[in-house]
Amino acid sequence: MLQVRIARKAQEALDIVTLELAPVEGEHLPAFSAGSHIDVEIRPGLVRQYSLCNDPTEKHRYLIGVLRDPGSRGGSVAVHDELQEGQVIHISPPRNHFALTQAPHSLLLAGGIGVTPILCMAERLAQIGSDFEMHYCSRSPERMAFRQRIAQSGYAGHVHEHFDDGDPAQKLDLPTVLDAQPAGTHLYVCGPAGFIDFVSATAEQKGWGKERIHFEYFAAKAVDTSDDGSFEVQVASTGKVYTIGRDDSIVSVLAEDGVEITTSCEQGICGACITRVLQGQPDHRDQVLTDQERNEENWFTPCCSRSLTPKLVLDI
Ligand code: FES
């Protein structure tokens, strides 16, 4: 973990604050790429993931934007109410499971606070002169974070704003936007789960391959656990076999025996626990791995995923 000071806490939009995090020691923070997120320890035992939304060439600070969401598990409200300017907190180094790929054209879609990694991507694409178009949906102008920053940027002409409470003519017409994209365009979407699901499903219906659709969820989707049963996990390095009960997670059972797997979100969205499977077929329950990572590279997330076969052998 890294120690950082909250150099600035500012109201960015209605119910949205930004925190500027500066190094406590030295002048530089670890480098990051567009789409990265960090774990933030809001207080002991309360850790949440937030995307970095500053220019990825900056080394003297990280910037995060946080929406107050009283319906969430309490992290965002604690950021708003408890964290103060000047306070020193712990964060993880940046991780990126939502990285830009090389594409002739990129379509960036942001829903609400999902703009944070998307904004970082826009900055990066503009810097390297890569062609892109961004659509930013918000409930209303006063809830739209970073509106001024975008308006003052050199890429403002690439950004289209859409408001739920505005004229129907300005609302996002996703099928038309998708149809207008040049061949080979890659799509990046972040926002509420319903927004991501709608965008992904619409693009797939229009024939976009999954390898061209990239997304990042902020929260785990509900999973039907009524058919969950027990299964076995074997640790390849020791040969030891563990029984995972229907209410256990793989990570918790292994931890009881001193086999530690790094975790953060424990709900399949951050990628901290990703582990390779050597034998057996996982029941994937994450929202972070791609089909290729799951099916060809045999990665899975032991914090939340289970098994479709009686036993999994893990590369640990
Ligand atoms: S701990 Fe976040 S995906 Fe497993």
Side-chain angles (χ1 to χ4, degrees), residues 299-315:
W299 297 109
F300 94 129
T301 55
C303 67
C304 61
S305 296
R306 301 186 67 79
S307 183
L308 296 173
T309 46
K311 186 160 94 175
L312 294 177
V313 181
L314 305 186
D315 188 15

Side-chain angles (χ1 to χ4, degrees), residues 230-234 250 275-286 291 294-296 298-301 305-314:
S230 63
F231 59 95
E232 290 183 335
V233 160
Q234 184 170 22
I250 297 172
T275 301
R276 197 184 291 274
V277 178
L278 299 175
Q279 279 176 38
Q281 191 178 356
D283 180 1
H284 293 285
R285 298 196 175 171
D286 66 279
D291 283 355
R294 288 179 175 183
N295 303 329
E296 294 169 33
N298 299 319
W299 297 109
F300 94 129
T301 55
S305 296
R306 301 186 67 79
S307 183
L308 296 173
T309 46
K311 186 160 94 175
L312 294 177
V313 181
L314 305 186

Side-chain angles (χ1 to χ4, degrees), residues 162 166-173:
H162 309 278
D167 182 337
Q170 55 80 53
K171 293 194 178 171
L172 175 64
D173 179 355

Side-chain angles (χ1 to χ4, degrees), residues 111-133:
I113 195 62
V115 71
T116 48
I118 296 292
L119 188 57
C120 200
M121 289 177 167
E123 298 268 359
R124 178 65 185 155
L125 292 169
Q127 276 164 7
I128 61 175
S130 186
D131 201 21
F132 76 96
E133 175 178 328

Side-chain angles (χ1 to χ4, degrees), residues 126-144:
Q127 276 164 7
I128 61 175
S130 186
D131 201 21
F132 76 96
E133 175 178 328
M134 172 173 160
H135 292 262
Y136 182 7
C137 303
S138 176
R139 281 162 58 189
S140 59
E142 59 270 23
R143 290 186 176 276
M144 181 171 264

Side-chain angles (χ1 to χ4, degrees), residues 2-299:
L2 306 167
Q3 270 197 332
V4 290
R5 186 179 308 283
I6 301 174
R8 188 158 184 267
K9 180 179 181 184
Q11 194 75 36
E12 172 58 37
L14 182 60
D15 285 340
I16 296 174
V17 292
T18 51
L19 300 185
E20 186 178 320
L21 307 175
V24 169
E25 287 179 18
E27 293 177 7
H28 291 160
L29 290 164
F32 69 101
S33 52
S36 295
H37 68 264
I38 54 170
D39 296 340
V40 176
E41 187 181 60
I42 301 164
R43 63 172 119 87
L46 184 64
V47 177
R48 292 291 184 268
Q49 293 72 44
Y50 296 104
S51 295
L52 299 178
C53 60
N54 52 313
D55 176 344
T57 62
E58 291 181 345
K59 297 202 170 59
H60 66 290
R61 65 170 192 158
Y62 293 149
L63 189 71
I64 59 172
V66 182
L67 168 70
R68 174 190 281 274
D69 180 2
S72 74
R73 295 174 299 147
S76 70
V77 172
V79 168
H80 276 250
D81 294 348
E82 297 175 26
L83 293 185
Q84 305 296 337
E85 230 170 67
Q87 195 175 334
V88 172
I89 58 172
H90 289 95
I91 63 169
S92 72
R95 274 191 295 270
N96 197 347
H97 296 284
F98 188 40
L100 287 166
T101 56
Q102 285 223 326
H105 182 80
S106 301
L107 175 62
L108 309 180
L109 294 178
I113 195 62
V115 71
T116 48
I118 296 292
L119 188 57
C120 200
M121 289 177 167
E123 298 268 359
R124 178 65 185 155
L125 292 169
Q127 276 164 7
I128 61 175
S130 186
D131 201 21
F132 76 96
E133 175 178 328
M134 172 173 160
H135 292 262
Y136 182 7
C137 303
S138 176
R139 281 162 58 189
S140 59
E142 59 270 23
R143 290 186 176 276
M144 181 171 264
F146 309 114
R147 203 171 179 209
Q148 193 177 1
R149 174 172 153 189
I150 292 169
Q152 292 172 347
S153 74
Y155 56 84
H158 296 254
V159 182
H160 306 264
E161 298 177 340
H162 309 278
F163 300 106
D164 292 355
D165 66 359
D167 182 337
Q170 55 80 53
K171 293 194 178 171
L172 175 64
D173 179 355
L174 184 60
T176 302
V177 169
L178 290 171
D179 287 345
Q181 300 306 307
T185 296
H186 276 241
L187 161 62
Y188 301 85
V189 54
C190 189
F195 180 76
I196 296 175
D197 291 347
F198 170 68
V199 170
S200 304
T202 307
E204 281 186 48
Q205 280 162 15
K206 287 195 161 286
W208 289 54
K210 285 190 172 178
E211 73 286 354
R212 291 198 289 134
I213 305 172
H214 311 269
F215 48 78
E216 183 163 76
Y217 285 88
F218 285 148
K221 288 202 249 184
V223 175
D224 180 0
T225 60
S226 56
D227 285 339
D228 283 359
S230 63
F231 59 95
E232 290 183 335
V233 160
Q234 184 170 22
V235 171
S237 60
T238 62
K240 209 164 169 184
V241 175
Y242 301 84
T243 299
I244 314 298
R246 62 154 290 143
D247 296 321
D248 300 328
S249 74
I250 297 172
V251 160
S252 64
V253 170
L254 297 192
E256 277 171 24
D257 195 40
V259 182
E260 297 288 346
I261 297 176
T262 302
T263 60
S264 176
C265 71
E266 299 193 17
Q267 52 175 341
I269 56 172
C270 77
C273 68
I274 290 173
T275 301
R276 197 184 291 274
V277 178
L278 299 175
Q279 279 176 38
Q281 191 178 356
D283 180 1
H284 293 285
R285 298 196 175 171
D286 66 279
Q287 281 133 65
V288 67
L289 294 172
T290 63
D291 283 355
Q292 178 176 335
E293 289 167 333
R294 288 179 175 183
N295 303 329
E296 294 169 33
E297 299 168 13
N298 299 319
W299 297 109

